[in-house]
Amino acid sequence: MPITLEKLSHTYQEGSPFQATALHDINLTIQDGELLALIGHTGSGKSTLAQHLNGLLKPTAGRVLLDGQDINQKDADRRALRFRVGLVFQYPEHQLFEETVRKDIGFGPRNMGLSEQEVEQRVHEAMDKTGLVYDEVGEKSPFELSGGQMRRVALAGVLAMKPDILVLDEPTAGLDPRARDFLLSDIARLHREGTTVVMISHSMDDVARLATRVAVLEKGRLVMEGPPGDIFTQVDRLTAMGLDVPQASKLRHELEAEGIVLPPCYLLDDLADHLAHRLKGGAADAT
Amino acid sequence: MLRDITLGQYYPIDSPVHRLDPRIKILLTMAFIVCVFLVGSPLGYLPIAAYLAWATWMARLPAKMMLRSMRPLRILLIFTFVLNLFFGTGDTELLRLGFIRVTQEGLYNAIHFSLRLIFLVIGSSLLTLTTPPVTLTDGLESLVSPLKVIKFPAHEMAMMMTIALRFIPTLAEEADKIMKAQSARGADFTSGSLKQRAQALIPLLVPLFVSAFRRAGDLAMAMESRCYRGGEGRTRLHVLKTGRKDWLAVASIAVLYAVVLLMARYV
Ligand SMILES: Nc1ncnc2c1ncn2[C@@H]1O[C@H](COP(=O)(O)OP(=O)(O)OP(=O)(O)O)[C@@H](O)[C@H]1O
Ligand SMILES: [Mg+2]
């Protein structure tokens, strides 16, 4: 069920003195089963784009197609769309409100009109997927939990709707390294199990590790798009945009400047292999 | 969405009117309001209209903006007009439809009071359109500070207003975000019975309150860690200054008064 953005533009508060164009003429297709990472500088329009994917924002120009159907058509069922495209906002723990974790996660499924039994079933599944233990936290107030746990409750709240496409806006922002690794492995697993994922991130190493495709936004325009191998080897271009690159790309780039040219790579493991290979080869030459 | 209503009316451009001392602007607006009440007949509004047109032009505001400020009042305006027109006293009948009668005096009053309302609203929006809310409270604080001698908490009041104003857009933005996040989970804020709609607000209000309290706590901490202890001995970053253009503005309203009073007497 691919999502296609066709010449999508969005202007906030059009016609007022505060109007600001956040997206210009974006063409992008999100394919089934991929993990698309959306990167870009602060204010480049990533969150704005994410909110178009489930119809929370309407394009000021252009269209958003799901299965070839314009999602903003008059007769489109926008609520059904939101259950198919699950959007997890930045700092989603700020939207928790129920008395217990169990009820909060069940909010989405209950809105879908499922029976209490089904809701309960989905809550269990979603908690399993996000590594929350039902018997431990299910009856607790979400406000008693740690930041990392709250983030997972919020993620579970969206997963419980079993969306086909999961859109995550900076899912790891503000988490400690351990909580971050947990969350990322959850996301990787969901992706492996067949969910299409769109992830916004400022951490290039995370993107390098997880993404099957990367799209780069700059000032509301889509400026680069392709597999991580193509994007993260263009170190100079990304740096000029004020973006970071994965550590491996950076190191490889710096070595190149020193005259040590290694095959293109962007993952630390690959870089280590290349280096080891070269060192061994070098040692062989010396003897 | 929610953001639209919150930034107040302020129209962010630069003009001589925008640069006036806010204290003078507040006083001038008050003087202008009094002046509108001094007008005795519909014809007497001509100088008022001319003055407003001139001020709008000086403030570089599009006329559209001024008309838009009338919009919330259109119901009241229609009421004023219709009530005066149909239920006025007087004997010179112009029209009779059953129990409804339109008299000459009624028509006269309808026009008179509607015009008064229109000019009052436009005059005061000129103030809010050209002055950022925070500057406005600064001006108010300065104007009421003589009352400090009778222990009126001028500074505290102004600080409270400033903080409230500062947080309206923030909270509105937050509400917008939470609303979107809950809609993403299928919450429905727009349909259903009254009871259902009230219930639908819980997922919005709980997180909003939590966040408001968190922000209030953070702000208190931030103010205290910068040694805030009330207005005593506190100096200002932006000192309000009254200059030549302010006195010119005062002179302009004096001229308006003269014209209006003369017209009330002789026309
Ligand atoms: N509700 C709004 N009203 C007006 N302008 C907005 C609104 N939301 C965002 N913008 C503007 O649109 C632009 C893009 O914002 P957006 O939030 O999509 O950026 P982002 O790439 O997600 O940034 P970040 O990395 O900081 O989350 C910014 O310039 C922002 O100021
Ligand atoms: Mg964002």
Side-chain angles (χ1 to χ4, degrees):
Chain A
M1 202 180 324
I3 300 186
T4 304
L5 308 180
E6 246 182 37
K7 297 192 174 167
L8 176 77
S9 297
H10 189 87
T11 305
Y12 281 107
Q13 309 186 38
E14 201 169 31
S16 84
F18 304 97
Q19 89 173 30
T21 302
L23 292 176
H24 295 272
D25 212 14
I26 306 272
N27 290 299
L28 182 69
T29 298
I30 297 153
Q31 302 292 356
D32 286 350
E34 74 173 336
L35 198 159
L36 174 70
L38 210 53
I39 62 176
H41 207 264
T42 291
S44 57
K46 306 181 295 292
S47 302
T48 307
L49 196 153
Q51 289 169 42
H52 280 88
L53 299 178
N54 71 346
L56 279 174
L57 289 178
K58 286 202 189 75
T60 31
R63 299 195 298 168
V64 183
L65 306 173
L66 179 67
D67 281 340
Q69 294 282 325
D70 188 344
I71 64 167
N72 291 303
Q73 260 165 359
K74 275 213 184 65
D75 53 349
D77 185 350
R78 217 155 289 130
R79 257 180 102 204
L81 169 75
R82 294 195 183 141
F83 301 131
R84 288 172 70 187
V85 183
L87 174 59
V88 182
F89 273 78
Q90 218 163 340
Y91 296 102
E93 57 274 23
H94 291 173
Q95 79 218 18
L96 302 176
F97 70 98
E98 278 284 14
E99 295 148 65
T100 65
V101 167
R102 190 172 60 81
K103 279 196 199 166
D104 205 291
I105 297 175
F107 181 65
R110 217 165 292 128
N111 284 328
M112 294 169 81
L114 300 178
S115 71
E116 267 316 301
Q117 205 182 344
E118 281 172 297
V119 170
E120 200 56 21
Q121 161 110 32
R122 292 213 172 187
V123 171
H124 269 282
E125 281 175 21
M127 288 180 79
D128 276 347
K129 279 189 199 157
T130 48
L132 291 161
V133 182
Y134 187 92
D135 296 325
E136 231 170 72
V137 294
E139 291 300 329
K140 275 197 186 169
S141 156
F143 298 102
E144 298 171 30
L145 304 178
S146 73
Q149 280 176 314
M150 282 166 90
R151 180 80 49 99
R152 286 168 182 211
V153 171
L155 177 61
V158 172
L159 288 182
M161 305 186 302
K162 291 198 179 159
D164 303 313
I165 299 167
L166 186 61
V167 184
L168 302 155
D169 195 346
E170 297 192 35
T172 57
L175 291 183
D176 63 63
R178 219 169 85 94
R180 207 186 69 191
D181 284 343
F182 269 127
L183 195 69
L184 287 174
S185 59
D186 288 344
I187 295 168
R189 179 152 34 81
L190 285 165
H191 173 231
R192 264 202 313 279
E193 289 167 3
T195 311
T196 307
V197 181
V198 178
M199 180 171 89
I200 296 173
S201 180
H202 281 291
S203 161
M204 299 304 156
D205 283 293
D206 297 349
V207 171
R209 221 168 53 205
L210 297 180
T212 56
R213 199 154 64 103
V214 180
V216 187
L217 284 181
E218 194 194 20
K219 298 197 181 105
R221 292 177 202 278
L222 184 66
V223 288
M224 291 160 88
E225 182 261 299
D230 291 358
I231 303 291
F232 289 134
T233 43
Q234 306 186 43
V235 178
D236 288 328
R237 190 156 170 216
L238 290 172
T239 316
M241 277 186 245
L243 291 175
D244 217 359
V245 290
Q247 284 172 21
S249 304
K250 202 186 289 173
L251 185 56
R252 187 193 161 276
H253 193 69
E254 277 167 21
L255 286 172
E256 195 171 61
E258 299 289 324
I260 305 169
V261 183
L262 296 169
C265 62
Y266 59 93
L267 291 171
L268 275 176
D269 287 348
D270 293 346
L271 182 73
D273 286 346
H274 292 320
L275 268 178
H277 184 75
R278 190 189 164 93
L279 285 174
K280 273 185 200 141
D285 284 350
T287 47
Chain B
M1 286 220 298
L2 280 168
R3 227 182 190 199
D4 304 343
I5 54 161
T6 53
L7 286 156
Q9 285 203 313
Y10 182 56
Y11 194 78
I13 49 168
D14 187 38
S15 82
V17 181
H18 284 71
R19 268 175 277 146
L20 286 181
D21 183 336
R23 290 170 299 186
I24 298 289
K25 251 193 283 189
I26 294 170
L27 292 176
L28 286 182
T29 307
M30 280 156 57
F32 176 83
I33 288 171
V34 172
C35 190
V36 170
F37 277 99
L38 292 178
V39 171
S41 67
L43 205 60
Y45 288 113
L46 270 179
I48 300 269
Y51 186 78
L52 276 182
W54 175 69
T56 309
W57 178 73
M58 285 295 284
R60 312 228 165 87
L61 294 171
K64 199 174 74 201
M65 265 333 263
M66 304 303 284
L67 294 179
R68 198 179 292 172
S69 63
M70 297 295 308
R71 220 191 272 156
L73 274 152
R74 60 189 186 276
I75 307 279
L76 186 62
L77 201 59
I78 292 170
F79 257 106
T80 310
F81 191 82
V82 169
L83 282 183
N84 276 300
L85 186 62
F86 291 148
F87 304 103
T89 48
D91 315 313
T92 4
E93 222 168 81
L94 295 177
L95 191 72
R96 187 171 194 117
L97 287 167
F99 67 96
I100 295 174
R101 39 184 227 120
V102 176
T103 63
Q104 199 173 348
E105 289 82 355
L107 182 64
Y108 181 88
N109 281 339
I111 294 174
H112 188 42
F113 291 127
S114 305
L115 281 177
R116 178 181 286 175
L117 196 61
I118 291 174
F119 289 121
L120 285 178
V121 173
I122 295 187
S124 25
S125 14
L126 203 55
L127 175 67
T128 49
L129 281 166
T130 60
T131 323
V134 172
T135 312
L136 212 52
T137 46
D138 274 357
L140 266 180
E141 175 180 359
S142 166
L143 284 175
V144 297
S145 57
L147 295 179
K148 274 181 189 156
V149 292
I150 56 160
K151 298 258 186 296
F152 181 78
H155 168 78
E156 284 72 13
M157 209 195 66
M159 181 57 93
M160 266 159 54
M161 273 166 71
T162 308
I163 291 175
L165 284 169
R166 166 64 189 75
F167 274 88
I168 288 172
T170 311
L171 287 179
E173 209 175 300
E174 187 94 14
D176 192 39
K177 224 169 68 191
I178 296 169
M179 221 152 136
K180 278 185 184 160
Q182 307 298 26
S183 313
R185 293 204 278 164
D188 186 0
F189 295 103
T190 50
S191 59
S193 67
L194 199 60
K195 186 165 166 252
Q196 278 168 332
R197 277 201 220 186
Q199 272 174 349
L201 283 181
I202 295 174
L204 170 64
L205 290 180
V206 173
L208 194 58
F209 272 101
V210 171
S211 121
F213 281 114
R214 189 179 51 231
R215 279 181 201 283
D218 288 352
L219 179 68
M221 197 99 80
M223 284 169 81
E224 251 180 75
S225 61
R226 287 190 269 169
C227 307
Y228 177 79
R229 331 161 254 122
E232 205 69 32
R234 209 173 128 143
T235 54
R236 305 193 142 272
L237 179 59
H238 302 288
V239 181
L240 298 178
K241 278 203 271 301
T242 315
R244 208 165 61 97
K245 58 183 183 315
D246 297 298
W247 299 121
L248 282 175
V250 172
S252 76
I253 207 120
V255 172
L256 178 68
Y257 262 83
V259 175
V260 166
L261 287 176
L262 284 175
M263 278 187 72
R265 168 159 287 204
Y266 298 111
V267 183

